[in-house]
Amino acid sequence: MAKSGVFERDPVMVVKAVELKKELQKLLKAIVDEDDVNLEALDRAQQMLLALKELKLKNTADLKLRHQQTAPVPALVPEEFKCPLSKELMRDPVIVSTGKTYDRPFIQRWLKSGNRTCPETQQVLSYTSLTPNHLIRDMIMQWCKNHGIKLPESIKYNDEEGFTEADKDRFISLLMKMTCTLPQQKEAAKELRLLTKRTPSVRALFGESADAIPKLLAPLSQSKSDIKAYQDLQEDIIPTLLNVSIHDSNKKHVAETPTVIPILIDAVRSGTVETRSNAAAALFTLSALDSNKSLIGKSGAMKPLLDLLDEGHPLAMKDVASAIFSMCLLHENKVRAVRDGGVGVILKKIKSRMHVDELLAILAMLSTNQKAIEELIELAAVPCLFSIIRETSCARTKENCIAILHIVCFSDRSTWKEMREEENMHRTISELTQNGTSRAKRKANGILERLNKAVNLTHTA
């Protein structure tokens, strides 16, 4: 790991990052080894990736906290007196709902970052209020007295990156400006975009006030008569909404604010390319929660996302593909994607060799729908999928191709002749039975068995 990285400088972040990566490795192994798509594992893996991303964005708050400590701590501090997060002598021990004890400033920082689990047990906290542990506090004070150590006052936790009450007042002032004149709205929108980009604490503030999101969106909820001014505001407000949505504890609150999803869908439809990309990214981030996947799908987001994918703007392709993939982890959204023309749009981009790996993952999910299979056959997907298998070196791409072909083979016998010709000419399926992933091997063998059985039945007849 590079010495300049955030994790290298912050031991707490190092521990958390290692734990997240270990869990992610387990999930990925489960996803790869299982024959069918494990939706729960995919969703959890997505949450782990988002948590790692959020962790990477955090600053070195622990270092600042340590600089404030004025007294050296002896090397032989009893383990029960050390905070599990800071690994140092606790100044203000508090108990969380799982019964574990932490030093107040460090567990506050953990909670403020959007975490809702106990760092040691990984259990979900039934409540986030902190109870002073007077017993441990008294024991620490007695131990310090016995060793001639003066215990410093508890570190005053003041949010990440030195976020102060004055900063909070500034935040409130900016939200108030969002309901004022157009020049004030534009100025405030730009500043809020920058604040939420660089300061996780500001993102958290949006979740602490019921009217913060409505105030942020107030200019976009008004008349659109001035298209230029409306798009200028979109370019700052939509990224701000994306930044706020990154904070895990905000996702439900943001998505369930009545104006949010309609405004994001409108931005996907009619904003600048950058705005449309940011809106798609916001929908992807919010869709980390299953309840939000359902809400976004019911609000009609799938068709605008597919239209944006169809347009093929390079800047937006990855974000919109991620949003569609995440939403399609929910069955009802797969149905919507097929109904709204997703198979044709995605296959067209795959044939053009645009974002093949990402789009094949979506197509593999959609292929479990019978209507999708009919469209794939009608749109000549079979030769396209075989050609990708032959030309790509990506094992996952080969696997998704053969998984789709397996479903097609077992759903419609009209494709058997085409598959036999491919096998006779290129040995594409046999090659995968030897060199594919474990899942690809199973699918390829299944196709060959079906084709051979059909030939034997014909000869017998």
Side-chain angles (χ1 to χ4, degrees), residues 10-217:
D10 189 336
V12 178
M13 288 187 179
V14 172
V15 173
K16 187 179 177 186
V18 169
E19 290 174 351
L20 286 171
K21 288 178 180 178
K22 284 181 179 177
E23 184 170 352
L24 184 59
Q25 285 176 332
K26 292 178 184 177
L27 288 166
L28 289 176
K29 188 176 187 304
I31 292 168
V32 170
D33 290 346
E34 288 190 18
D35 188 23
D36 293 322
V37 178
N38 186 325
L39 300 186
E40 183 178 349
L42 282 170
D43 203 17
R44 183 64 180 154
Q46 180 187 86
Q47 292 174 5
M48 291 298 98
L49 287 171
L50 288 172
L52 278 170
K53 181 179 178 181
E54 178 69 16
L55 192 63
K56 184 66 179 176
L57 294 173
K58 298 185 186 307
N59 213 320
T60 54
D62 281 349
L63 294 178
K64 294 182 180 180
L65 291 173
R66 292 190 183 97
H67 290 327
Q68 296 176 38
Q69 296 175 2
T70 58
V73 179
L76 299 178
V77 176
E79 287 300 315
E80 61 269 27
F81 294 167
K82 294 180 182 179
C83 173
L85 291 173
S86 69
K87 307 302 181 186
E88 296 175 357
L89 184 65
M90 289 186 283
R91 271 67 173 172
D92 187 4
V94 292
I95 306 171
V96 298
S97 64
T98 59
K100 295 293 183 179
T101 297
Y102 301 91
D103 203 3
R104 185 184 295 275
F106 292 95
I107 191 63
Q108 280 183 327
R109 187 186 68 78
W110 171 269
L111 296 172
K112 201 73 173 178
S113 298
N115 298 294
R116 289 298 177 267
T117 57
C118 174
E120 279 199 286
T121 67
Q122 297 303 309
Q123 290 177 268
V124 176
L125 298 173
S126 55
Y127 54 86
T128 56
S129 58
L130 305 173
T131 305
N133 191 330
H134 296 296
L135 177 60
I136 291 293
R137 167 75 174 173
D138 291 345
M139 291 172 68
I140 290 173
M141 291 180 70
Q142 186 61 47
W143 181 84
C144 288
K145 182 179 178 181
N146 293 343
H147 289 79
I149 296 170
K150 181 180 179 182
L151 185 67
E153 291 295 319
S154 176
I155 302 165
K156 299 300 181 183
Y157 181 71
N158 207 19
D159 283 343
E160 294 177 46
E161 301 187 2
F163 198 70
T164 65
E165 286 300 317
D167 294 323
K168 186 173 291 189
D169 291 341
R170 179 61 179 159
F171 167 76
I172 295 170
S173 173
L174 289 171
L175 285 182
M176 293 303 297
K177 283 187 178 181
M178 296 299 284
T179 60
C180 298
T181 64
L182 181 60
Q184 289 176 306
Q185 290 174 344
K186 288 183 176 180
E187 178 190 349
K190 287 185 183 299
E191 190 168 345
L192 283 169
R193 177 181 184 174
L194 292 173
L195 276 174
T196 53
K197 179 180 180 180
R198 64 174 182 248
T199 313
S201 301
V202 179
R203 299 176 209 156
L205 287 176
F206 275 92
E208 296 174 5
S209 171
D211 63 352
I213 297 295
K215 283 180 178 176
L216 171 69
L217 302 180

Side-chain angles (χ1 to χ4, degrees), residues 89-357:
L89 184 65
M90 289 186 283
R91 271 67 173 172
D92 187 4
V94 292
I95 306 171
V96 298
S97 64
T98 59
K100 295 293 183 179
T101 297
Y102 301 91
D103 203 3
R104 185 184 295 275
F106 292 95
I107 191 63
Q108 280 183 327
R109 187 186 68 78
W110 171 269
L111 296 172
K112 201 73 173 178
S113 298
N115 298 294
R116 289 298 177 267
T117 57
C118 174
E120 279 199 286
T121 67
Q122 297 303 309
Q123 290 177 268
V124 176
L125 298 173
S126 55
Y127 54 86
T128 56
S129 58
L130 305 173
T131 305
N133 191 330
H134 296 296
L135 177 60
I136 291 293
R137 167 75 174 173
D138 291 345
M139 291 172 68
I140 290 173
M141 291 180 70
Q142 186 61 47
W143 181 84
C144 288
K145 182 179 178 181
N146 293 343
H147 289 79
I149 296 170
K150 181 180 179 182
L151 185 67
E153 291 295 319
S154 176
I155 302 165
K156 299 300 181 183
Y157 181 71
N158 207 19
D159 283 343
E160 294 177 46
E161 301 187 2
F163 198 70
T164 65
E165 286 300 317
D167 294 323
K168 186 173 291 189
D169 291 341
R170 179 61 179 159
F171 167 76
I172 295 170
S173 173
L174 289 171
L175 285 182
M176 293 303 297
K177 283 187 178 181
M178 296 299 284
T179 60
C180 298
T181 64
L182 181 60
Q184 289 176 306
Q185 290 174 344
K186 288 183 176 180
E187 178 190 349
K190 287 185 183 299
E191 190 168 345
L192 283 169
R193 177 181 184 174
L194 292 173
L195 276 174
T196 53
K197 179 180 180 180
R198 64 174 182 248
T199 313
S201 301
V202 179
R203 299 176 209 156
L205 287 176
F206 275 92
E208 296 174 5
S209 171
D211 63 352
I213 297 295
K215 283 180 178 176
L216 171 69
L217 302 180
L220 299 182
S221 302
Q222 297 165 2
S223 172
K224 301 180 185 178
S225 55
D226 187 341
I227 300 298
K228 179 64 168 64
Y230 183 81
Q231 288 191 334
D232 286 346
L233 285 165
Q234 271 187 327
E235 287 185 350
D236 286 312
I237 292 175
I238 298 302
T240 301
L241 203 54
L242 167 60
N243 295 337
V244 172
S245 301
I246 290 172
H247 200 74
D248 282 346
S249 59
N250 286 345
K251 295 185 192 303
K252 184 175 178 63
H253 169 61
V254 171
E256 292 182 357
T257 300
T259 53
V260 168
I261 303 303
I263 280 176
L264 286 175
I265 292 174
D266 182 66
V268 169
R269 285 197 185 104
S270 60
T272 63
V273 175
E274 184 179 358
T275 296
R276 298 173 81 186
S277 177
N278 282 321
L283 289 172
F284 163 65
T285 302
L286 291 172
S287 67
L289 300 181
D290 281 348
S291 59
N292 287 353
K293 286 183 180 71
S294 179
L295 180 60
I296 295 167
K298 288 176 182 176
S299 299
M302 188 61 74
K303 186 65 166 66
L305 286 169
L306 288 168
D307 289 343
L308 179 55
L309 184 67
D310 194 23
E311 290 179 34
H313 298 291
L315 182 66
M317 286 285 286
K318 201 167 189 69
D319 287 323
V320 73
S322 297
I324 293 170
F325 177 86
S326 178
M327 288 176 61
C328 285
L329 292 172
L330 196 67
H331 175 73
E332 62 193 60
N333 285 335
K334 285 197 287 187
V335 174
R336 292 185 178 103
V338 174
R339 181 199 65 199
D340 292 337
V343 173
V345 170
I346 292 169
L347 188 59
K348 182 170 73 172
K349 296 304 172 189
I350 290 174
K351 287 181 176 180
S352 300
R353 300 305 190 260
M354 297 178 68
H355 292 272
V356 172
D357 298 344

